[in-house]
Amino acid sequence: MTVSVFRDLHHGRAAGDPLVLPGPWDAASARVFADAGFPALATPSAGVAASLGYEDGATPAAEMFAAVARIVRAVPVPVSADLEAGYGLPPKELVERLLDTSAVGCNLEDSADGVLTDPQRQADRLAEVRAVAGDQLFVNARVDTYVRGVPDGTDPETETITRGRLYAAAGADCVYPIAAPPESLPRLAAAIPAPLNVFALPDGPTPRRLGELGATRITFGPGLQRQAMAAVRKIADRLHAL
C-alpha cells in the first residue's frame, strides 16, 4: 500500500466518521488488527518499547526501526510509525531509515526530555523532513502542549493552535495535539489547516464522538497494548491459582 492511499484516507471524511488507526506493538498484533478490517495502522512507540523490554522513550533507534519493519512486513495495509522526537537523527538519515522499513508515515513530537521544543525550531525540522521525503511520507506533527505544560501565563489552546499552524505551514500532513481536552477540539479543528489526530482514552468519548468534535483520525497510543497485557495478567493469575 502506498503513501497516497494512506493520505487519501485522511480526506473527505464525514463528521463522526474519523479514520481509526489501531496501534500494533508487534507483528502478531498487527495481523489481528489488519484481519479485523482496519484499512491502516499506526504503531505506538510506548507499546513497541514495552514489547521489546524497554521503558517508554528508551528504545534504541535501531531496534525501533527493526520493529517497525517487522510490523510492516506482516500486514497488507499501510503502517505509520511513531518515531518519538526522531532519536536525534538528521532529517535525511531519519527519512532514509524510515523508508527502508516501508512505513508510509511517522509521528514526530515537539518535546524532548520532557521539555517542549521551540516551535519555530520544530517547524524548521519538519520542513527539512518534508524536503527530504517529498511526498513519500505522511508526516503527523505531534503537539505536546497538553502533556508537557506551557509557560506560566500562556494559554494551552492558543499555544497549541500557534504550533499546529506552524507545523502545517512547514509541510506536516496532520497535526496531533495529544491529550487535548474534548471541549477544545472544535476550536482546534477550525483553527489548524490540517487534519487533526486525536488520542482516544478508554474512558473518554468514543471515536465517533471525537470525530463529531473535529477529529479526522483516532489513535490509541499504548492503550491497546496495555489492555492486552491486562488480559494476559488475568490468564497468568488463573494459571498460577491452579
Side-chain angles (χ1 to χ4, degrees):
M1 290 291 186
T2 65
V3 64
S4 62
V5 171
F6 186 67
R7 187 172 281 115
D8 287 347
L9 289 171
H10 293 75
H11 296 282
R13 307 198 71 90
D17 181 34
L19 174 63
V20 177
L21 298 177
W25 53 94
D26 59 13
S29 60
R31 289 192 184 106
V32 170
F33 293 132
D35 289 348
F38 290 97
L41 307 174
T43 69
S45 62
V48 173
S51 76
L52 297 174
Y54 293 102
E55 295 296 321
D56 184 20
T59 308
E63 292 199 45
M64 183 62 75
F65 285 115
V68 170
R70 288 192 293 271
I71 289 169
V72 173
R73 285 197 303 267
V75 294
V77 299
V79 177
S80 182
D82 183 352
L83 298 184
E84 302 176 270
Y87 307 109
L89 299 173
K92 186 174 187 296
E93 183 179 355
L94 182 71
V95 169
E96 288 175 349
R97 292 179 72 171
L98 182 58
L99 289 175
D100 283 345
T101 71
S102 295
V104 298
C106 63
N107 284 4
L108 290 172
E109 59 198 50
D110 66 350
S111 67
D113 300 320
V115 178
L116 283 172
T117 303
D118 175 79
Q120 188 58 60
R121 180 181 174 189
Q122 180 69 1
D124 291 344
R125 179 167 169 78
L126 291 170
E128 290 184 67
V129 169
R130 173 55 66 210
V132 174
D135 63 358
Q136 296 182 84
L137 288 175
F138 185 99
V139 178
N140 187 33
R142 199 178 98 172
V143 182
D144 285 0
T145 45
Y146 290 101
V147 293
R148 302 306 183 197
V150 295
D152 290 343
T154 302
D155 176 59
E157 188 174 296
T158 300
E159 180 67 14
T160 300
I161 289 171
T162 297
R163 288 172 178 262
R165 285 174 168 169
L166 274 173
Y167 303 162
D173 295 284
C174 188
V175 172
Y176 179 16
I178 186 170
E183 60 269 21
S184 291
L185 296 181
R187 292 184 293 275
L188 296 177
I192 297 172
L196 206 66
N197 187 149
V198 173
F199 177 50
L201 294 169
D203 56 352
T206 65
R208 178 178 294 279
R209 179 57 183 153
L210 292 173
E212 292 170 347
L213 291 171
T216 302
R217 85 180 206 178
I218 306 296
T219 53
F220 302 86
L224 303 179
Q225 184 264 344
R226 289 171 181 170
Q227 290 182 52
M229 293 311 298
V232 172
R233 168 61 65 187
K234 290 180 180 179
I235 294 170
D237 289 342
R238 287 199 300 269
L239 289 174
H240 190 261
L242 293 177

